[in-house]
Amino acid sequence: MKKINKIPKNKIKAAIIGMGIGQKHFEAINNYKGSKVLLICEKDKKKILKLKKKYPKINITENEYEIYKNKEINLVSIASYDEDHYSQIIKSIKHNKNLIIEKPMCLKLGQLKKINKLLSQKKNLYLLSNLVLRVNSRFLYFKKIINRNKVYYLEADYDWGRVHKLYEWRANQKNYSITLGAAIHMIDLAMWLLNDRPTSVIAFGNNNATIRTKFKKLSFAVYIFKFPNNTILKVTANSASVHDHFHHLKIYENKNSYVNSYLGSYSFNSQKKYFKIKQNYPDKKNRKNLIRNFLDNIIQNKKQEFSFKNQIDLMSACFFADRSMNSGREIKIKYLYK
Ligand SMILES: NC(=O)c1ccc[n+]([C@@H]2O[C@H](COP(=O)([O-])OP(=O)(O)OC[C@H]3O[C@@H](n4cnc5c(N)ncnc54)[C@H](O)[C@@H]3O)[C@@H](O)[C@H]2O)c1
């Protein structure tokens, strides 16, 4: 879909909802090429007091309707809890705001369909899901050097290593999903590297590591995805792992292999020679580039590399992975787009 947004540089006026990871959204947006955050919406009263001291010139509110009714605001950056994303997206679209949305965009396939329908009718609005591995220097390098047509197997394992996070708000969300909360990063990474989308999925999970805790959902899951040319992708999401936060990756071609492991990152060739890959990881300082590239797209009215269709495809793959988890069977993924 050709976008026809006409927001000149220095005319991005943003609001942020939720100041956990939202703080990073703030840092990426505020003062970038003249963009300004006009309003922060936060519902934690203690945090509000701190924010007022830190940003005395920025309006801070508990009431998200302040955002929608403000005609000057043309971008809403949503970093609230997962269950709030859907309704905040719908309200933002209806009030003609561009959107940055933390993963996951929403929690149900029906919600995805509604977002898709509504946004497709708004040719002037852009949306970005904040899947930051796409701007990681090491993974960008992998994308450059692999021959995606030769890849026959890919492994993408997410060690979350921050089990305490499960016991905060995530434990209280009725529809929390480890697929949408964790595995989504690795599924996106693989779809982006292969520039393709899987046709089927089978998934299994357990909560053995968290069984006697207040977190009642699955805390570990494994997924096998098949791609059109028979390439196989295995993903794991391990949210209770005793491990540093890490994104393991192995890519196998017939003549080369590429590895991002905790002990180092290498490429191997068929002469059994290996080469160290030096590009930065975790490369946190570059994470804001995803949002900044998006602001550039809006300002220059340019096509997004992470297109809206790609974002909808990713969400569809995740929803069908959860369906397979519930049924215990391999299932075909149905996409909203051909
Ligand atoms: N892209 C990533 O790598 C990444 C990393 C962490 C979290 N996330 C996502 O970001 C979102 C927030 O997670 P977090 O880790 O920042 O949580 P957090 O608990 O650290 O912070 C969330 C903040 O948002 C506020 N908040 C929540 N709902 C709100 C609402 N409706 N209105 C106003 N304020 C609200 C809370 O009071 C809190 O201050 C989640 O959807 C999560 O999945 C993404």
Side-chain angles (χ1 to χ4, degrees):
M1 176 183 35
K2 175 84 180 92
K3 292 286 184 185
I4 47 166
N5 203 331
K6 294 260 182 332
I7 297 180
K9 167 161 125 173
N10 78 12
K11 283 284 165 48
I12 288 194
K13 308 286 184 211
I16 315 256
I17 311 183
M19 283 295 271
I21 193 88
Q23 175 70 40
K24 300 287 174 201
H25 294 211
F26 180 93
E27 286 159 20
I29 298 168
N30 202 37
N31 294 329
Y32 178 68
K33 297 191 178 169
S35 305
K36 289 277 173 229
V37 173
L38 299 189
L39 194 55
I40 289 173
C41 176
E42 173 53 67
K43 59 184 184 188
D44 176 329
K45 294 202 168 19
K46 278 194 197 145
K47 223 176 230 183
I48 291 176
L49 289 178
K50 283 192 192 149
L51 287 166
K52 281 189 170 161
K53 272 197 193 143
K54 195 167 172 189
Y55 304 115
K57 292 195 178 141
I58 293 178
N59 285 325
I60 300 180
T61 178
E62 278 180 75
N63 176 5
E64 66 181 68
Y65 285 90
E66 297 281 321
I67 298 175
Y68 311 127
K69 71 179 195 207
N70 185 329
K71 292 222 164 62
E72 218 187 333
I73 289 172
N74 48 30
L75 171 69
V76 183
S77 209
I78 300 175
S80 53
Y81 302 142
D82 295 2
E83 280 184 357
D84 296 341
H85 293 179
Y86 171 68
S87 71
Q88 291 169 345
I89 290 176
I90 296 293
K91 283 176 254 173
S92 300
I93 299 175
K94 286 189 172 160
H95 289 85
N96 290 315
K97 317 289 187 200
N98 293 284
L99 279 153
I100 295 167
I101 176 71
E102 262 313 333
K103 38 71 29 184
M105 192 188 293
C106 57
L107 293 171
K108 292 180 182 165
L109 186 56
Q111 295 177 342
L112 186 72
K113 287 179 181 167
K114 285 196 186 140
I115 293 171
N116 182 51
K117 190 169 168 206
L118 213 52
L119 203 69
S120 304
Q121 292 162 356
K122 296 268 188 175
K123 299 222 179 314
N124 60 333
L125 295 184
Y126 289 74
L127 178 145
L128 173 77
S129 306
N130 198 31
L131 287 149
V132 288
L133 297 184
R134 288 172 167 256
V135 286
N136 175 284
S137 296
R138 192 169 293 171
F139 297 139
L140 277 166
Y141 181 67
F142 279 5
K143 184 159 166 85
K144 198 164 103 187
I145 59 172
I146 64 168
N147 182 344
R148 60 187 162 83
N149 299 318
K150 298 265 171 29
V151 174
Y152 63 89
Y153 177 55
L154 203 141
E155 224 175 88
D157 296 312
Y158 186 25
D159 261 310
W160 199 0
R162 296 173 182 163
V163 69
H164 62 276
K165 289 202 172 253
L166 296 182
Y167 312 138
E168 297 165 359
W169 57 268
R170 289 171 178 86
N172 307 322
Q173 303 257 297
K174 185 165 155 258
N175 292 309
Y176 185 80
S177 144
I178 187 175
T179 309
L180 295 164
I184 190 169
H185 279 295
M186 306 315 282
I187 300 168
D188 181 56
L189 183 64
M191 288 173 71
W192 171 70
L193 286 166
L194 295 173
N195 195 23
D196 208 346
R197 56 189 197 181
T199 50
S200 73
V201 57
I202 183 159
F204 301 97
N206 69 34
N207 66 346
N208 296 13
T210 47
I211 197 150
R212 271 177 253 292
T213 71
K214 67 189 238 193
F215 183 76
K216 297 299 172 203
K217 302 276 164 38
L218 301 177
S219 53
F220 173 79
V222 55
Y223 313 78
I224 307 281
F225 290 93
K226 280 188 201 149
F227 283 75
N229 62 354
N230 257 341
T231 299
I232 307 278
L233 162 69
K234 184 211 78 180
V235 168
T236 58
N238 195 347
S239 43
S241 59
V242 180
H243 197 287
D244 273 357
H245 189 77
F246 200 83
H247 307 92
H248 309 260
L249 186 67
K250 286 186 192 165
I251 306 171
Y252 294 92
E253 298 171 1
N254 51 350
K255 292 200 172 134
N256 296 283
S257 305
Y258 308 92
V259 173
N260 186 43
S261 78
Y262 196 67
L263 298 178
S265 186
Y266 301 93
S267 69
F268 299 83
N269 65 21
S270 44
Q271 285 82 48
K272 301 256 165 56
K273 288 210 168 118
Y274 71 89
F275 304 91
K276 199 161 169 42
I277 291 174
K278 296 192 186 105
Q279 274 68 16
N280 279 342
Y281 175 93
D283 199 28
K284 287 193 177 166
K285 77 169 176 22
N286 277 332
R287 282 193 185 166
K288 58 167 95 74
N289 289 350
L290 193 76
I291 289 181
R292 289 187 166 175
N293 294 344
F294 175 70
L295 299 184
D296 286 340
N297 285 335
I298 299 181
I299 294 164
Q300 295 159 15
N301 198 20
K302 258 179 38 193
K303 210 170 145 220
Q304 280 175 261
E305 195 217 324
F306 190 15
S307 68
F308 182 56
K309 175 186 173 296
N310 288 159
Q311 299 178 57
I312 296 287
D313 283 349
L314 170 67
M315 290 300 294
S316 303
C318 290
F319 285 126
F320 280 84
D322 270 347
R323 241 180 228 190
S324 165
M325 188 101 66
N326 292 333
S327 71
R329 288 203 309 269
E330 179 181 355
I331 57 173
K332 200 166 169 281
I333 302 170
K334 291 190 194 130
Y335 291 98
L336 303 193
Y337 288 93
K338 284 243 157 77

